[in-house]
Amino acid sequence: MKKHNSPLISILIANYNNAEYIIDSVESVIAQSYKNWEIIFVDDGSDDDSIKAISNFKDNPKIKIFENKVNKGCGFTKARCLQEAQGDYCAFLDPDDTLEKDCINKLYDIINKDKDLSFVTSQHRICDKRLNEVSISPFNIGLDNNKTYFTSNDFHVTAFTLFSKKKYEMTSGINIELKRAVDQDLYYKLDEVGSISFLNEVLYNYRKLEGGLASGKNSLKAKYWHALVIKDTYYRRKKNGLSNISKDELNKVFEDLLIWKAIDKIEERSFCLCVFFILKSILVRPLHNITYKASLLKKLILKTLTSK
């Protein structure tokens, strides 16, 4: 357990319609072995019982509750969380997820020993809605040697991540226009102003829910916003002379996005839009994946011919 004079750590919860899980999330912070924390809870105009749920903690002086009177979006709400935060270190906690009791303590131990660190993240488990383990994340396997977060192919920051407020203030901050991929944009920026660390230990419980910002029917929207973030990061790093992905790797991100859109239109039997996205993907990366793209057209034609 850390001494009372340990730095304040701000746990940032940007919420929209997660009334069912808020109490679990907040109680996992209260149970932390690291005690010098605050929760900054910002509700983004929820129309469920979120405010009623968080009101269970209104008498706790360490939990500060704010509301956007109308829905402003993920980027705006997470930026507001940081504006209200007083901690030396911060971490976003999704309102439907929970922390293991030593999570903050262990991540702080790492970032406290190296002032060049921008952030430290950990392994996490994927859970069902009742927090029963489904699997351990296959993505967080450590950073490639001599790679940054942005240029690494195998490392994904998808779990609870503790970052330095000072390092954050060296960046352009959260993009309030983003509706999704807000955290990834932030971590790419933090990657440019300091080093990063990964603890291969399960410290975070991620509820995978249908209807989440990056799951189910929202997966295509998530891919779209992430592609925009990658594009923005590519040109920012190019301008600043930082290690970068290649232009072809950037084009592949958009090629993949267009193929996903084409597949989506096949399911809708939307012939014209499917052809449009496939042709556009060919323009983005000529002579790449032509056989696969042709097979998508064939699949669309068969679906169209067999439709009633």
Side-chain angles (χ1 to χ4, degrees):
M1 183 184 299
K2 295 298 171 185
K3 296 179 181 178
H4 181 67
N5 60 357
S6 294
L8 177 66
I9 293 179
S10 298
I11 307 303
L12 314 175
I13 302 179
N15 176 74
Y16 178 70
N17 285 355
N18 279 285
E20 184 177 355
Y21 307 110
I22 288 169
I23 291 177
D24 288 346
S25 185
V26 172
E27 286 183 342
S28 77
V29 179
I30 293 172
Q32 289 297 297
S33 56
Y34 190 103
K35 296 302 181 183
N36 194 18
W37 51 263
E38 65 173 1
I39 290 177
I40 303 297
F41 182 95
V42 180
D43 183 76
D44 190 25
S46 294
D47 53 18
D48 67 352
D49 289 329
S50 289
I51 294 301
K52 181 179 179 181
I54 193 63
S55 293
N56 285 283
F57 306 99
K58 62 183 175 57
D59 294 329
N60 188 327
K62 297 170 72 172
I63 300 174
K64 300 165 186 176
I65 303 169
F66 304 90
E67 294 181 61
N68 298 334
K69 294 304 180 183
V70 296
N71 184 265
K72 292 284 192 176
C74 188
F76 181 95
T77 304
K78 290 197 169 188
R80 185 177 181 189
C81 284
L82 274 159
Q83 289 168 2
E84 303 290 352
Q86 300 298 311
D88 297 297
Y89 300 96
C90 301
F92 282 103
L93 172 61
D94 286 347
D96 51 359
D97 298 337
T98 65
L99 307 177
E100 294 296 301
K101 69 174 183 178
D102 290 325
C103 177
I104 298 176
N105 195 26
K106 290 183 176 182
L107 296 183
Y108 170 73
D109 273 344
I110 293 172
I111 203 167
N112 182 52
K113 292 174 182 175
D114 185 352
K115 298 306 178 183
D116 185 55
L117 280 177
S118 282
F119 66 80
V120 56
T121 189
S122 73
Q123 181 57 278
H124 67 274
R125 65 172 53 87
I126 299 168
C127 304
D128 64 18
K129 66 181 298 182
R130 294 180 178 82
L131 289 178
N132 298 310
E133 181 178 311
V134 174
S135 64
I136 301 300
S137 169
F139 299 114
N140 289 42
I141 56 177
L143 195 63
D144 296 342
N145 291 332
N146 302 316
K147 293 280 189 177
T148 68
Y149 171 39
F150 185 62
T151 59
S152 175
N153 293 321
D154 299 319
F155 183 61
H156 302 260
V157 181
T158 54
F160 184 80
T161 299
L162 186 67
F163 60 91
S164 162
K165 188 75 174 295
K166 286 183 179 179
K167 294 290 188 181
Y168 173 76
E169 291 168 349
M170 294 169 63
T171 74
S172 59
I174 284 180
N175 182 350
I176 64 172
E177 301 300 325
L178 291 174
K179 302 301 181 184
R180 290 171 170 80
V182 178
D183 290 1
Q184 297 307 314
D185 181 61
L186 170 61
Y187 301 144
Y188 288 149
K189 290 172 179 174
L190 287 168
D191 184 32
E192 296 166 16
V193 296
S195 56
I196 63 180
S197 183
F198 170 68
L199 177 61
N200 192 15
E201 185 173 341
V202 176
L203 298 177
Y204 182 78
N205 303 305
Y206 168 71
R207 273 191 177 105
K208 189 169 184 178
L209 302 172
E210 183 65 30
L213 285 180
S215 64
K217 294 181 179 179
N218 287 322
S219 61
L220 186 55
K221 293 178 182 178
K223 290 178 184 298
Y224 167 76
W225 286 100
H226 196 199
L228 293 185
V229 165
I230 290 174
K231 180 180 179 181
D232 183 61
T233 304
Y234 170 83
Y235 284 107
R236 183 177 64 247
R237 293 181 76 98
K238 183 178 180 180
K239 178 181 178 181
N240 294 326
L242 300 173
S243 59
N244 212 345
I245 61 175
S246 68
K247 185 62 181 294
D248 185 62
E249 287 175 299
L250 174 64
N251 289 340
K252 186 179 185 306
V253 171
F254 283 89
E255 178 192 40
D256 290 344
L257 175 63
L258 290 164
I259 289 174
W260 271 86
K261 286 185 174 182
I263 293 170
D264 185 58
K265 296 308 173 185
I266 288 175
E267 298 307 313
E268 296 177 5
R269 292 184 171 85
S270 180
F271 183 85
C272 291
L273 281 175
C274 178
V275 172
F276 171 77
F277 289 131
I278 291 175
L279 291 177
K280 196 171 181 180
S281 73
I282 293 172
L283 290 174
V284 170
R285 289 186 89 216
L287 305 180
H288 285 83
N289 301 312
I290 295 298
T291 302
Y292 178 64
K293 293 169 187 177
S295 72
L296 291 180
L297 282 174
K298 180 179 179 181
K299 182 177 179 181
L300 175 63
I301 292 169
L302 291 173
K303 267 190 172 280
T304 304
L305 292 174
T306 57
S307 63
K308 295 181 180 180

